[in-house]
Amino acid sequence: MGGGGNMSAMTTKNEQMKNPLERVPSSKPPFTLGDVKKAIPPHCFQRSLIRSFSYLIQDLILVSIFYYIATNYIHLLASPLTYLAWTTYWIAQGCVCTGIWVIGHECGHHGFSDYQWVDDTVGLILHSALLTPYFAWKHSHRRHHANTGSLENDEVYIPRLKSKLRWYYKYLNNPLGRVFVLAFTLTFAWPLYLIFNISGKKYDRFACHYDPYSPIYSNRERLQIYISDAGVIAVTYLLYRVTLTQGLAWVLCIYGVPLLIVNGFIVLITLLHHTHASLPHYDSSEWDYLRGALATVDRDYGVLNKVFHNVTDTHVLHHIFSYISHYHAMEATKAIKPLLGEYYKFDDTPILKAMWRDTKECIFVEKDKDKGVYWYKNKL
C-alpha cells in the first residue's frame, strides 16, 4: 500500500528489461527483518489519524458525487447513452469502493491510527457496508500474514500439489476453460471464501467466516465474530428496507453491481499478489516468516494504483510490515528495494495479460531440486 505515484516510475530500465518470470532466490536471504526495518525511514512507521481520515473522506465524497449523478441524471439520458452511463457509474463506483475496502483492510492491520478502537470501529463500519465481516476476515487475514508461503499453514491461496489436483482440472486447462474459471472466480470466489472457506486452509471440519465457532477462530475471538455478523446483518436489513421502497432494480444498479466489482477486485488483487511462476512456496522444513513474506509480487494497475491506495504495488512491503500506513508505503518500498535486491519481485505486465498468463502457468506446485521448496508448474 502507499500514498501516491506509480510503482512503474520507480523501476529502473534494467528492472523493466528483466524476464518477469525469472525466479526469485529461495535460499535464506543475507539480511534480517531487523535490517529491513532499519532501511525504512522512522517516520514511515508513524500513523496519522487526520491523514488517514483525509483519504477516507476523499473516497466518500467521490462515492457521494457518483451516487448523486446516477440518481439524478442518468434517467434523463436517451436510451443508448443510458447504458453507457450506467456502465461508467458501475466501474467508477466499484473502483472507489474498492479503495474504501482497502482502507478497512488497513484498519484490520492497525495501520489507520494509533488507537485500536478507532481502527476497529472504522473498519467495522466500512467492511460491513460492503458486506464483509470485518473481525472475521481480520483474524483469518492476520493468520495469512503470519504464514504466507507455507504449504501447511497459510490461510488462503495455498497451491495444490499435482497429486492433489481434482479430476476436472485437465478439462479446464485450455483457453475456454480458463475463461470460465476466471469469470467464475472473479464473480463468486469472494463470497464462497467467506461462507465455505473455498481456496482457504483445510480444516478438520466445516469452516465459515460467519460462524463464531468455526475452527478458524480461537475462543477469545468468538465475540468479535458475532459483532461482525451483526454488522453484515444490519446492512443486509437496510438493503432489504431500501428494496421495499425503491425496488430491486434500483438497489442492484446503485449498490449491487458496484459491489460485484469490489468483490472481483478483491479477488483479482490478492490472487495476482500470490500467484506467480517466479515465487516459491515452502514446506515446514524450509519456511520462515521473512522468506514467506518475500514470496509475493508487486503489480502495476496504472492509475488504479492510487485509487486502490497502492495496495497493488507495495504488497511486498505490506507483507513484511503490515501496519505501515498506505501513505508511507511507497517511500518505504523505495527504501527497502536496494537491500532486498533479487529477493524483491515487481511485475509490470499489463494486468489483463498477467491474469491470463498466471492462471495458465500456475496450476500446481512441485518440488524442484531444492529440498522443501516448491514452484508453480503447468504440465498436467
Side-chain angles (χ1 to χ4, degrees):
M1 298 179 292
N6 190 312
M7 178 62 76
S8 60
M10 292 168 50
T11 58
T12 66
K13 290 183 179 179
N14 288 336
E15 284 176 316
Q16 292 172 346
M17 292 172 63
K18 282 184 177 179
N19 175 9
L21 300 182
E22 181 181 348
R23 289 180 176 179
V24 301
S26 59
S27 57
K28 281 186 177 293
F31 48 83
T32 66
L33 192 62
D35 294 331
V36 181
K37 188 170 186 179
K38 289 176 184 177
I40 300 173
H43 70 265
C44 289
F45 293 96
Q46 297 174 1
R47 295 163 291 209
S48 167
L49 180 65
I50 294 175
R51 191 170 180 184
S52 294
F53 263 115
S54 72
Y55 285 95
L56 174 57
I57 291 170
Q58 171 186 288
D59 285 350
L60 293 176
I61 289 173
L62 288 174
V63 167
S64 300
I65 291 172
F66 296 153
Y67 169 81
Y68 179 80
I69 293 173
T71 55
N72 287 277
Y73 295 105
I74 290 182
H75 70 279
L76 300 177
L77 298 173
S79 223
L81 293 177
T82 301
Y83 298 118
L84 177 61
W86 276 119
T87 301
T88 302
Y89 166 77
W90 292 333
I91 294 172
Q93 195 74 295
C95 288
V96 174
C97 286
T98 300
I100 291 176
W101 188 94
V102 170
I103 292 177
H105 156 264
E106 184 164 278
C107 291
H109 285 293
H110 196 20
F112 187 82
S113 76
D114 290 331
Y115 309 100
Q116 185 68 65
W117 70 270
V118 172
D119 289 20
D120 284 341
T121 302
V122 173
L124 177 64
I125 293 171
L126 297 183
H127 273 191
S128 296
L130 296 169
L131 298 184
T132 295
Y134 170 73
F135 287 111
W137 189 76
K138 169 186 172 179
H139 293 312
S140 69
H141 188 62
R142 184 184 69 244
R143 292 183 176 88
H144 159 62
H145 271 260
N147 298 283
T148 306
S150 168
L151 289 175
E152 291 96 346
N153 297 312
D154 202 349
E155 194 66 36
V156 70
Y157 291 123
I158 308 163
R160 295 180 183 272
L161 300 175
K162 186 175 183 180
S163 60
K164 298 293 181 67
L165 286 179
R166 299 186 185 276
W167 61 269
Y168 50 78
Y169 270 79
K170 62 182 179 181
Y171 300 107
L172 297 175
N173 193 26
N174 56 71
L176 185 60
R178 278 190 289 279
V179 169
F180 171 78
V181 169
L182 283 169
F184 182 86
T185 299
L186 296 178
T187 305
F188 299 109
W190 179 240
L192 289 176
Y193 171 65
L194 294 176
I195 299 170
F196 300 109
N197 203 38
I198 298 296
S199 82
K201 180 180 177 180
K202 303 304 178 187
Y203 290 93
D204 58 0
R205 59 188 177 88
F206 179 68
C208 171
H209 280 74
Y210 299 98
D211 178 10
Y213 292 92
S214 169
I216 301 172
Y217 309 113
S218 65
N219 288 332
R220 66 183 180 84
E221 294 166 344
R222 303 200 193 286
L223 176 60
Q224 291 188 327
I225 310 307
Y226 280 112
I227 296 173
S228 291
D229 291 348
V232 172
I233 290 170
V235 173
T236 302
Y237 178 74
L238 177 61
L239 290 170
Y240 166 72
R241 298 297 301 180
V242 173
T243 301
L244 292 180
T245 58
Q246 299 289 343
L248 179 60
W250 188 93
V251 172
L252 290 176
C253 286
I254 295 297
Y255 177 85
V257 178
L259 182 66
L260 282 178
I261 292 174
V262 173
N263 292 350
F265 271 125
I266 293 170
V267 173
L268 178 64
I269 291 168
T270 54
L271 175 68
L272 292 185
H273 277 153
H274 297 284
T275 307
H276 200 280
S278 72
L279 300 178
H281 286 76
Y282 305 95
D283 66 21
S284 57
S285 69
E286 287 287 331
W287 183 88
D288 62 63
Y289 174 81
L290 183 55
R291 277 198 285 177
L294 292 169
T296 59
V297 57
D298 286 345
R299 304 277 191 170
D300 185 8
Y301 285 67
V303 68
L304 291 179
N305 289 334
K306 190 167 185 178
V307 177
F308 297 159
H309 303 297
N310 296 94
V311 72
T312 46
D313 55 352
T314 63
H315 192 70
V316 176
L317 169 84
H318 177 64
H319 263 274
I320 301 173
F321 299 111
S322 61
Y323 51 88
I324 291 181
S325 301
H326 70 268
Y327 40 81
H328 291 312
M330 291 293 291
E331 180 182 0
T333 294
K334 187 175 181 179
I336 66 174
K337 282 172 63 179
L339 176 65
L340 300 188
E342 291 184 335
Y343 286 84
Y344 171 77
K345 190 66 181 181
F346 171 75
D347 187 349
D348 63 353
T349 303
I351 290 303
L352 292 178
K353 181 179 179 180
M355 177 178 66
W356 183 260
R357 180 200 66 200
D358 293 339
T359 53
K360 175 184 177 182
E361 300 297 331
C362 303
I363 304 298
F364 61 91
V365 292
E366 275 187 339
K367 276 188 184 181
D368 204 358
K369 56 187 176 181
D370 301 315
K371 180 182 178 181
V373 181
Y374 295 72
W375 301 91
Y376 272 114
K377 302 285 180 67
N378 178 25
K379 298 294 182 183
L380 294 179

